[in-house]
Amino acid sequence: MSSIIKINDLSFSYEDKKIFKKLNLEIEQNRWLTVVGANGSGKSTLVSLILGLKEYEGQILVEDFDVLKSKKLIRKKIGVVFDDPDNQIIHDMVDDELSFILQNMGLSISEINQKKEEIVNALGIKKILKLKPSDLSGGEKCLAVLAASLVKNPDIIILDEALEMLDNLQKNKVIKLLKNRLKAGATIINITQDIEDSLIGDDILLMDNGKVILYDTKESFFNHDEEIKKYNLELPFIVDLSIKLEYYGLTNKIYLDMEELVNEIWK
Amino acid sequence: MEIIFDNIKFTYEGSNEETIKGLSAHLKKNSINAIIGENGSGKTTLIQTINGLIIPDIGEIRIDDFRVKKGIKDYKDLRFNVGMVFQLPEEQIFNLTVEDEIGYTLDYYNYRQDEKEKHILDALKMVGLNKDYLSKNPLSLSQGEKRKVAIATVLAFNPKVIIFDEPTIGLDYKTKENLIKIIRLLKNRFHKTIIIVSHDVDLVHKLSDYICILSNGKIVKSGSKYEIFTDSNLLKKYHIKVPKIIEFEKLVLEKKKIKLGYRDDINDLLKDIYRNAK
C-alpha cells in the first residue's frame, strides 16, 4: 500500500514549547484513519502543519508534493473541518460560501448548481443555505463547514473533532457520505475524542506528547490494551466489555462486534 | 433551585419561525437534569433563557423567586445564582490571563481580594489546573484546557444552578472523567442544580437523573433516565442514539431471550452477564 502523506524528521515548537521532535510518520492512502490522544498531544498542530499553515523544520509530503513549496495545491487536495467552525466561513450566507468555492474551481454555472445540490442533499442542509453563519447552531455550523470542505471533492478529508458537534441523525448522514468518498478513493483522517468512532474506520493512531505511540489496524490496535491504558485512553464499550469478560473466563479475545460477543458468551 | 418554564415562546429577530414554541417544563432541584435533542431543536436557546440571556416573547421562567420575562431588565442577582458554561469556550473567554478571566465575575460581584484569590485557586484546583496557569493567556491554551478555564470561571462564584452546554466535546478521557466527578460532587456534596445539554447519550445515561427531550421548540417527553432510555420507539422517533450498555442488553434479550437488569454502569452489567452465562 502506498502512503499519501509522508512526514520526515518533523520538528516544531510553539512559543517555548517543543511539540514535535524529529517525528516520522507515513499515512496510508485510501484508508479511514482515526487519530486519538489526550488534549495537547499535538493532533491539531499536526493538521495545521500538514496544511502548511505554519513553518516547520523537516519535510511533509502530500502525494509527493512538498507542503511548504506548494501550499495552494495542498489546500485543493485537502478538505478540513476544524473544531471551531466559527472561523471557517467567510461569506454572509452558507449558499454564497459554496458558490464561491466552486467558482474558484472554474466550473460552469450548471456544474456549480449540480455539485451544490449533491452536497446539500447528502448532508440534508437545505434549511440553512440562506442563513447567516452567526444564526446557525453549533451543529449546523459544523455541517456548513463540512459542506464547504467536501464540495471541492478533496483527495484527503481531515476532521478535527468535527463530528462531535453533530446529533445522531446528522452524524450518520455524514459518515455515510464519507464512506462513499472512501470507496471513491479518498483518504479520511478523523481526529476524535469519541473512542466509539474509532470503530467506524480502518486504522487507529495514538499520539502522545508529539509522538506516535501506536499506529495499527483497529483489529490489532486494541490488543495493546495494557499500553493504551498507560496513555489514559478510553476503550470502546465493546472492547472494554470483552476485556473484562476475559477475566471472568467468558471470552478469550477482544471483540469489535456486539453480536459476535453475545454469541460467544452464550454459545 | 427549581426551574419552571411556563408556556414560553421565542423567535429570533429577523427569523419567521419560532425557535421555542409554547414550551412548558420543570427541571428538578438538586438533580442532574439533561436536555437532549437534534441539532437546531432549540436546546441552546432554551438554556439561555434560564439566566436571562434570552428573554421569551411570551411566558415566563421561574427560578425559585426569580422571574425571567418581558419587562424585567435587571438579571444581575439571577446570574449570580445561575452560572453557564458555554458550548465553545471562545464565546465566554475574553480576558488576557487565566487569573483575570476567572476573577472577572468575582470583581463584578465585589469580592474582597483575599476571598477572590482563594476562590480562583479553589476553582482551578477543582478542574485540575495548577497555579502556573494563572498568568497564561486562555486563548493560547488547547481546546480542552480552555474548557477547563471556562468551567473554573463559573465554579469560582459558586452559583446554585450550573448549566453545561455540551460540556464534554473535545475533552480527552481523563479530563472527561474528571468533569463527571466534578459534576457529581457539585450535586451530591454541594447540592447544586445541574443542567446539561449534550449529544453524548452515554454521558447523559451515566450521569443524569432526569431527562427532557426537546424537538422543534417543544419538550416532547421528560422522565427518569430509565423511562427515557428503555423506550425504543421514543428514541427512534427523535433520532436519539441508544446508549451502548442498553444496546447490549437489548441485543441479549432479542438474540438469547435473556433479560439482564437495567444498568448504567458496565461493572454492574458484568455481574449480570456472569450470573446469566454460568
Side-chain angles (χ1 to χ4, degrees), chain A residues 39 161 167 193 232 248 263, chain B residues 39 170 172 174 199 256 274:
Chain A
N39 296 137
E161 294 179 10
D167 64 39
Q193 293 296 349
N232 274 311
Y248 284 80
N263 285 333
Chain B
N39 289 136
D172 59 40
K174 204 175 152 195
H199 285 127
K256 305 291 170 190
Y274 188 67

Side-chain angles (χ1 to χ4, degrees), chain A residues 39-53:
Chain A
N39 296 137
S41 60
K43 306 183 300 293
S44 298
T45 308
L46 189 61
V47 175
S48 59
L49 300 185
I50 290 173
L51 288 166
L53 298 177

Side-chain angles (χ1 to χ4, degrees), chain A residues 159-172:
Chain A
L159 308 169
D160 188 359
E161 294 179 10
L163 297 182
E164 264 112 300
M165 300 277 271
L166 300 177
D167 64 39
N168 192 32
L169 184 71
Q170 287 295 359
K171 192 170 164 178
N172 288 338

Side-chain angles (χ1 to χ4, degrees), chain B residues 84-101:
Chain B
M84 168 113 61
V85 183
F86 286 82
Q87 191 173 104
L88 297 169
E90 288 84 355
E91 289 175 6
Q92 77 182 82
I93 290 174
F94 53 93
N95 283 284
L96 288 175
T97 67
V98 168
E99 186 171 14
D100 288 348
E101 181 60 36

Side-chain angles (χ1 to χ4, degrees), chain B residues 98 121 124-125 127-136:
Chain B
V98 168
L121 288 176
L124 263 190
K125 199 175 161 194
V127 296
L129 295 178
N130 60 34
K131 270 186 190 173
D132 298 345
Y133 278 84
L134 286 175
S135 58
K136 290 191 181 177

Side-chain angles (χ1 to χ4, degrees), chain A residues 38-39 83 138-139 161 164-169 193 196 232 234 237 240-241 244 248 259 262-263 266, chain B residues 38-39 87 143-144 169-174 199 239 241 244 248 255-256 258 266 270 274 276-277:
Chain A
N39 296 137
D83 57 357
E161 294 179 10
E164 264 112 300
M165 300 277 271
L166 300 177
D167 64 39
N168 192 32
L169 184 71
Q193 293 296 349
E196 295 295 339
N232 274 311
E234 189 176 10
F237 171 80
D240 193 17
L241 190 61
K244 288 184 164 129
Y248 284 80
E259 197 164 338
V262 169
N263 285 333
W266 287 280
Chain B
E38 292 166 54
N39 289 136
Q87 191 173 104
Q143 202 62 11
I169 288 184
L171 295 188
D172 59 40
Y173 179 53
K174 204 175 152 195
H199 285 127
H239 308 291
K241 206 174 108 185
K244 284 283 164 204
F248 184 86
K255 299 282 171 195
K256 305 291 170 190
I258 294 169
I266 192 167
L270 217 56
Y274 188 67
N276 282 287

